[in-house]
Amino acid sequence: MLELRLIQGSLLKKVLEAIKDLVTEANFDCSATGFSLQAMDSSHVALVALLLRSEGFDHYRCDRNLSMGINLNNMSKMLRCAGPEDIITIKGDDGTDTVTFMFESQKQDKISDFEMKLMDIDSEHLGIPDAEYQAIVRMPSAEFARICKDLGSIGDTVVISVTKEGVKFFTRGDVGSANIVCRQNTSVDKPEDSTVIEMNEPVSLTFALRYMNSFTKATTLSEVVTISLSSELPVVVEYKIAEMGYIRFYLAPKIED
Amino acid sequence: GDLQLIISGYFFQL
C-alpha cells in the first residue's frame, strides 16, 4: 500500500516540468526514507537524481519498497490538471499496475482522481559516490538560468572556469563569442541573492549548453542553484526542494578530441 | 569539435 500526501502539490508539478523533457520514462522508487528517482537521458550524457524525503510529506505510508515505472510526459499531463494550490496524493499498491494521483482543492470542495497505468522499465541504477569537488559555486538560480539562456543564443558549449577572480562562463559560435564573469558577492541583504564561490583549486570544464538549459527548467524549485565542479567528474547542478529534498543533474563534460 | 563523454562512464553499476 502506498499513500503519499503532499500539501504543497506545486512542488511535484514543478519537478515533473523540470525533468519531463530530459528523461521520457523512469522508475519512481518509494521506500521508508522517501520518494526518489534516478534516470539518465536517452544519450546517457546526463543523469537526474530526485529525492523527496518522507518527512516532507503530510502523510507518508509506504508498506513495502515499491518501484513504479512511469512515462514522465503522461504524468506531467496529469499533474498539469492539478491547481497550483492543490494538495496532491500519490496512491499505489504493489498488487495493482496503476498509480493514482488525487488532487484536493484547498477548500476541499473539489477532489480529482487521475489514474495511470504503470510501465515495466528496466533501468540500471548507478552508484554515485560522494566526491570532493575542486570548486563549488552557489548562486541565484535565476541568474544561472539567464546566463545559460543568453550563452545558448551565441554558442553550443559553455566553458565554466572557476578562478580566484570568480566563475567564468564562455562560449563561442558563428556570430562571435561571449564571456560572463560572476564574482563572489555576499554583500547583499538577502542570502539567496549572494554568489558564494568555494574554490579548492582552479578548474575549467566544457559542457553542452542544451543540457544546461534543460536543467534550468528546475529554477522554479529553488532560488539558489549549486554548481559543483571537478576535472575528473561530471558537473552537479543541484536545486534544493524546500526542506524536503533535492533535484540533482549530473552532466558529463566535453573534451578536446 | 569537442568529444562528448557519457555519464555512465563515471558511476559504477549497482
Side-chain angles (χ1 to χ4, degrees):
Chain A
M1 173 70 184
L2 175 79
E3 193 160 310
L4 319 176
R5 189 166 189 264
L6 185 63
I7 300 277
Q8 210 181 348
S10 60
L11 288 179
L12 196 61
K13 285 165 63 76
K14 290 174 180 174
V15 163
L16 263 290
E17 291 309 301
I19 63 177
K20 72 175 174 65
D21 296 333
L22 186 69
V23 176
T24 44
E25 48 193 50
N27 284 315
F28 281 91
D29 299 311
C30 312
S31 70
T33 51
F35 186 65
S36 62
L37 170 147
Q38 185 199 89
M40 283 187 278
D41 75 299
S42 52
S43 55
H44 285 204
V45 166
L47 180 135
V48 59
L50 163 76
L51 173 66
L52 295 176
R53 281 184 283 273
S54 49
E55 51 271 14
F57 289 83
D58 164 59
H59 165 79
Y60 190 96
R61 178 180 169 189
C62 176
D63 297 348
R64 293 168 3 105
N65 287 6
L66 192 60
S67 182
M68 301 191 292
I70 290 184
N71 174 298
L72 299 180
N73 226 353
N74 296 345
M75 182 171 168
S76 150
K77 280 183 191 140
M78 290 194 166
L79 292 188
R80 283 182 177 177
C81 301
E85 308 301 325
D86 282 2
I87 296 168
I88 296 183
T89 302
I90 301 170
K91 294 180 182 174
D93 210 335
D94 38 15
T96 66
D97 63 351
T98 61
V99 62
T100 299
F101 301 107
M102 182 175 82
F103 310 145
E104 300 167 70
S105 67
Q106 260 185 324
K107 298 192 291 298
Q108 301 284 317
D109 58 354
K110 174 184 169 192
I111 310 284
S112 316
D113 282 299
F114 287 71
E115 187 177 77
M116 172 197 278
K117 274 192 77 57
L118 295 174
M119 310 164 62
D120 275 335
I121 300 169
D122 57 344
S123 70
E124 75 277 2
H125 259 62
L126 294 175
I128 301 173
D130 280 335
E132 282 296 305
Y133 286 94
Q134 289 162 332
I136 299 179
V137 177
R138 188 181 169 289
M139 66 190 291
S141 57
E143 187 58 60
F144 179 62
R146 176 67 197 266
I147 289 169
C148 292
K149 180 170 172 291
D150 290 349
L151 293 186
S153 65
I154 305 295
D156 300 333
T157 63
V158 58
V159 180
I160 304 180
S161 313
V162 181
T163 62
K164 59 184 183 312
E165 279 91 51
V167 53
K168 257 175 57 176
F169 301 89
F170 172 80
T171 189
R172 179 189 304 286
D174 304 341
V175 305
S177 70
N179 189 58
I180 300 175
V181 178
C182 296
R183 297 191 197 297
Q184 173 117 331
N185 168 15
T186 50
S187 61
V188 290
D189 43 7
K190 289 196 302 178
E192 59 270 16
D193 291 348
S194 63
T195 296
V196 179
I197 298 171
E198 184 190 322
M199 182 185 83
N200 299 320
E201 54 184 292
V203 58
S204 179
L205 289 163
T206 304
F207 300 101
L209 273 165
R210 84 179 169 86
Y211 286 99
M212 288 293 185
N213 279 307
S214 177
F215 301 164
T216 58
K217 290 196 173 74
T219 299
T220 55
L221 279 164
S222 168
E223 294 199 70
V224 172
V225 64
T226 302
I227 304 156
S228 304
L229 294 146
S230 202
S231 45
E232 312 305 318
L233 290 171
V235 63
V236 192
V237 178
E238 177 179 80
Y239 298 87
K240 293 242 183 292
I241 300 175
E243 304 100 38
M244 71 183 295
Y246 56 75
I247 188 166
R248 285 181 187 146
F249 297 99
Y250 297 80
L251 177 60
K254 300 181 78 150
I255 55 170
E256 293 288 321
D257 64 354
Chain B
D2 300 327
L3 184 66
Q4 172 66 62
L5 300 176
I6 60 167
I7 199 85
S8 19
Y10 288 92
F11 301 135
F12 51 90
Q13 302 284 338
L14 281 183

